[in-house]
Amino acid sequence: MKKYIFPLLLVGLVSCGSDNSGEKNSGETKTIVKTFKNEAEMDRQVLELKKITEASDIVANSLHYEKADGQMIEVIGHLDTANVLQILEEQFSEGNGKTNGTRYYFLNNGKPFVIQELIDQVNGENQEATFIDRISYYDSKGKIIKTKERRASFQDDVNGMKYKAAPLHPISSQRAMDALNSEKEFATTFQGFVNQDMFSYIILGADDPNGFTTALRLDYKDQLVNILAADPEKYMGAHVKVNFEVHNDRGFEFQVYAGGKFVD
């Protein structure tokens, strides 16, 4: 099983909004910025965005980024039928045995109005884990206005609990967008090749020995790969953009290179 993912699709989409009915005007998507009166309206819009993106089944993945200490981030953009980004899903880990989980950014005209965190938080030296389901609400200017949460030792226990008011917990969606668009600390510069078993991989990442990297399996070689392979040292740190596919083989998910080019 495989799905085709083209991360360059999302460049510029964050500034767009969309009419949730999918109406079109002169062949273009009509932009509507919603105004919410209260928390209940925001909650209804969250449910509507879930329905819209589930029905469209259009996603755009970031690359799967990791660090040597086990830190990880991968972002999935959920789009509507007009290819407008509506929900960001950020899967992350702070390292081996540390806090990990998923954050969902629900967007209104490209800005989060609700952020939900589903997190296994690891506390203190005893490594005690607490599952937290936290929801925060934001106004049209991006200012946080309310946070509520429920927490327990296990997720199954949390699901039956009611939310309680919690201290404001503001979060920015910028890091998730940077990962989705391979920018800043997630920039894709050439970092070499690795051979493992019968496969070879191209390694990309920020030009930083302690930064995030990602590996894509090379099932074929195009012009970019041939140029890089001819003189890897010369092109070390060169900025490239790639397309890729995500394959799933018996529950094991991996990235496969699907073409790329140098970035000036």
Side-chain angles (χ1 to χ4, degrees):
M1 177 181 180
K2 64 183 178 182
K3 54 183 176 180
Y4 295 87
I5 296 168
F6 302 96
L8 299 184
L9 175 70
L10 290 194
V11 174
L13 281 183
V14 72
S15 63
C16 299
S18 174
D19 165 13
N20 288 330
S21 68
E23 294 178 3
K24 295 188 177 181
N25 182 15
S26 301
E28 297 182 356
T29 303
K30 185 179 179 181
T31 299
I32 292 180
V33 182
K34 289 187 174 290
T35 301
F36 304 106
K37 295 180 181 179
N38 51 43
E39 178 183 331
E41 285 194 0
M42 292 183 178
D43 289 341
R44 284 194 291 270
Q45 180 66 0
V46 165
L47 293 176
E48 184 66 17
L49 293 184
K50 288 181 178 179
K51 291 178 182 178
I52 289 169
T53 53
E54 287 172 3
S56 73
D57 197 28
I58 302 173
V59 298
N61 262 63
S62 76
L63 292 156
H64 180 93
Y65 293 95
E66 294 185 353
K67 286 186 177 182
D69 64 359
Q71 290 187 60
M72 179 278 293
I73 181 171
E74 181 175 343
V75 177
I76 303 170
H78 299 269
L79 288 71
D80 63 19
T81 55
N83 282 346
V84 176
L85 181 61
Q86 300 290 0
I87 301 172
L88 279 174
E89 177 184 344
E90 176 190 0
Q91 302 170 2
F92 75 96
S93 172
E94 294 180 357
N96 297 324
K98 297 182 180 179
T99 297
N100 65 87
T102 304
R103 299 186 180 103
Y104 295 92
Y105 304 83
F106 298 92
L107 307 179
N108 178 35
N109 196 36
K111 298 178 181 179
F113 68 95
V114 171
I115 299 176
Q116 182 175 21
E117 303 171 81
L118 302 175
I119 297 174
D120 283 305
Q121 181 171 291
V122 179
N123 303 306
E125 295 181 358
N126 60 2
Q127 296 290 288
E128 182 180 351
T130 302
F131 184 83
I132 301 174
D133 178 356
R134 180 188 293 125
I135 300 177
S136 297
Y137 299 86
Y138 295 76
D139 64 19
S140 60
K141 296 181 180 179
K143 181 180 179 181
I144 189 169
I145 54 179
K146 179 180 180 179
T147 296
K148 63 183 182 181
E149 67 178 36
R150 49 189 186 178
R151 58 173 66 204
S153 297
F154 302 99
Q155 183 173 1
D156 289 345
D157 296 334
V158 162
N159 292 336
M161 299 170 63
K162 292 183 178 180
Y163 289 97
K164 296 181 180 180
L168 296 179
H169 190 78
I171 296 175
S172 171
S173 61
Q174 188 59 56
R175 181 171 181 262
M177 283 304 305
D178 288 344
L180 196 58
N181 285 317
S182 300
E183 295 176 344
K184 298 179 182 177
E185 64 178 315
F186 306 104
T188 46
T189 65
F190 174 63
Q191 297 298 313
F193 296 101
V194 171
N195 295 316
Q196 183 176 8
D197 299 326
M198 65 184 72
F199 299 110
S200 60
Y201 298 81
I202 183 171
I203 308 300
L204 305 175
D207 200 10
D208 176 354
N210 298 314
F212 283 100
T213 60
T214 187
L216 294 89
R217 198 175 80 183
L218 293 173
D219 287 356
Y220 79 101
K221 295 182 179 180
D222 63 356
Q223 183 180 21
L224 174 64
V225 173
N226 287 330
I227 292 173
L228 296 173
D231 195 344
E233 291 298 323
K234 175 182 177 181
Y235 293 102
M236 193 68 64
H239 192 189
V240 299
K241 283 285 188 181
V242 298
N243 289 323
F244 62 100
E245 302 167 3
V246 175
H247 290 222
N248 192 309
D249 183 8
R250 289 168 289 185
F252 175 68
E253 193 170 272
F254 55 95
Q255 303 171 139
V256 175
Y257 178 79
K261 63 180 181 179
F262 287 106
V263 177
D264 295 332

